[in-house]
Amino acid sequence: MHQRAIDTYLKARSLTDENEFAAPLAALYATTGNVPKGADEILRLYSLTGDVQQTKGLLSSLMTTPENTAFLKGVLNSHTDSKYSTLVLRQWFARETRDWNTALEITRELDAERKARGQEILLFADGARLDGEYDIAIKAYGEVLALTGVASNTSLSAAYGSTRTLEQKLKLQSTTPTKADAQDIIDRYAAIVKQYPQHPIAADALLNIAQLTDEVLRDPVEAMSVLQRLANTYKGTTAAADGVLHLSSIYITTTRLDLAEAVLDQLIVLPTRNNPNQRELALLRKADLLLFKGQTDSARAIYTDLATRPA
């Protein structure tokens, strides 16, 4: 049945334009597993529509065996021009097949083609970090910093991303990170805060400093100092709200319950549109504290209020 449909479309094409019916033919060849003809129709369709997502989906449907994948690699690599439309497919294929070094090399070409001044490489680095490919992410962030210097939002994002990646790599590769490693990362975050004190990323950096100080350096006093600075300087940010919750946890752990309740109130009284998830968690934590202190009616009122809110 599929072959009959293919023959019908090919006959109709011979009477019209050589690019006609590329979409149905691409889908049919993908269904029948005819990789060479499928790839030809998919790229023909791509040249007509420029639809990157559709093309990725169709190519993915052909990548059913190592042999098919190797064939498609050869097809894509035979297109050596530096057009954005070509490079974006080759970069996607390299990432999809976990060929990260090749993907970074193509990303450099993409960045140059678009005159993106590191933006394409930054996006690649962020994606690699999210995929857990920490080494190639760190390498890419370093290239962004080399391209952009230190006085741009792109370089700031790269500096933060690089430090965040180092932290994630440290936590993944070691069940007990050393204090020296943690301090190195803390120093990197501190440099970001110092250089970009007005940028929202500075708040995230301070939160990460506090968490490392508390959890790895085991210095709750210094962690509390950093968290209070975060709450005072960046009030209203998500990082500050998360910092308040962390600060309340330290107070609870050290049995300073009144201080825990007071700091939770700082978050609870903020406008409801600000960090609603953190505010609800603060309310729940306050209710737990009140219940522990024997103030049952007050605790019940908060629990009831939270239970009746829409999910």
Side-chain angles (χ1 to χ4, degrees), residues 28-97:
L28 284 165
Y29 283 131
T31 300
T32 59
N34 190 328
V35 177
K37 289 187 177 180
D40 180 67
E41 292 295 343
I42 290 167
L43 294 179
R44 187 195 302 266
L45 179 63
Y46 182 51
S47 69
L48 294 172
T49 66
D51 190 329
V52 175
Q53 294 305 316
Q54 178 192 44
T55 304
K56 288 178 181 178
L58 289 169
L59 287 173
S60 292
S61 69
L62 296 179
M63 295 165 62
T64 53
T65 67
E67 293 75 18
N68 289 355
T69 301
F71 178 83
L72 290 174
K73 179 179 180 180
V75 170
L76 291 174
N77 286 347
S78 68
H79 294 264
T80 56
D81 63 80
S82 60
K83 291 181 180 178
Y84 178 81
S85 59
T86 300
L87 293 172
V88 74
L89 276 190
R90 290 179 57 216
Q91 183 215 42
W92 164 80
F93 185 86
R95 289 189 57 171
E96 195 74 4
T97 56

Side-chain angles (χ1 to χ4, degrees), residues 215-236:
E215 297 165 5
V216 182
L217 299 188
R218 304 295 183 186
D219 187 349
V221 174
E222 177 61 22
M224 287 188 289
S225 174
V226 175
L227 289 168
Q228 199 61 64
R229 175 186 173 192
L230 171 60
N232 294 337
T233 308
Y234 300 97
K235 187 176 294 185

Side-chain angles (χ1 to χ4, degrees), residues 117-186:
R117 302 182 65 182
Q119 282 289 341
E120 288 285 347
I121 303 174
L122 178 63
L123 288 172
F124 170 84
D126 288 341
R129 177 174 65 83
L130 291 173
D131 282 345
E133 297 292 336
Y134 298 132
D135 290 335
I136 198 71
I138 291 168
K139 182 178 181 181
Y141 284 127
E143 292 189 12
V144 175
L145 288 169
L147 277 172
T148 58
V150 296
S152 70
N153 285 334
T154 304
S155 61
L156 167 59
S157 297
Y160 181 81
S162 177
T163 306
R164 187 77 176 127
T165 305
L166 284 169
E167 181 184 356
Q168 291 174 319
K169 182 180 177 182
L170 174 68
K171 290 179 177 178
L172 177 71
Q173 295 182 347
S174 174
T175 54
T176 54
T178 68
K179 290 186 177 182
D181 287 336
Q183 189 61 58
D184 175 62
I185 293 169
I186 287 170

Side-chain angles (χ1 to χ4, degrees), residues 240-295:
D242 287 333
V244 165
L245 292 172
H246 193 134
L247 183 56
S248 72
S249 295
I250 295 176
Y251 283 142
I252 292 169
T253 301
T254 55
T255 66
R256 285 176 279 186
L257 303 186
D258 288 342
L259 288 175
E261 187 177 343
V263 78
L264 288 170
D265 284 337
Q266 293 177 20
L267 180 54
I268 291 168
V269 298
L270 291 176
T272 54
R273 67 179 180 276
N274 286 14
N275 306 301
N277 293 335
Q278 287 86 348
R279 288 184 70 258
E280 288 197 357
L281 186 54
L283 277 166
L284 180 60
R285 192 167 292 179
K286 179 174 180 177
D288 291 342
L289 285 173
L290 292 172
L291 185 64
F292 180 78
K293 293 161 66 175
Q295 299 177 32

Side-chain angles (χ1 to χ4, degrees), residues 4-17 20-21 25:
R4 186 180 302 169
I6 290 171
D7 292 341
T8 300
Y9 280 122
L10 290 176
K11 183 175 181 180
R13 172 184 280 177
S14 69
L15 301 175
T16 54
D17 182 87
E20 198 70 39
F21 311 115
L25 281 167

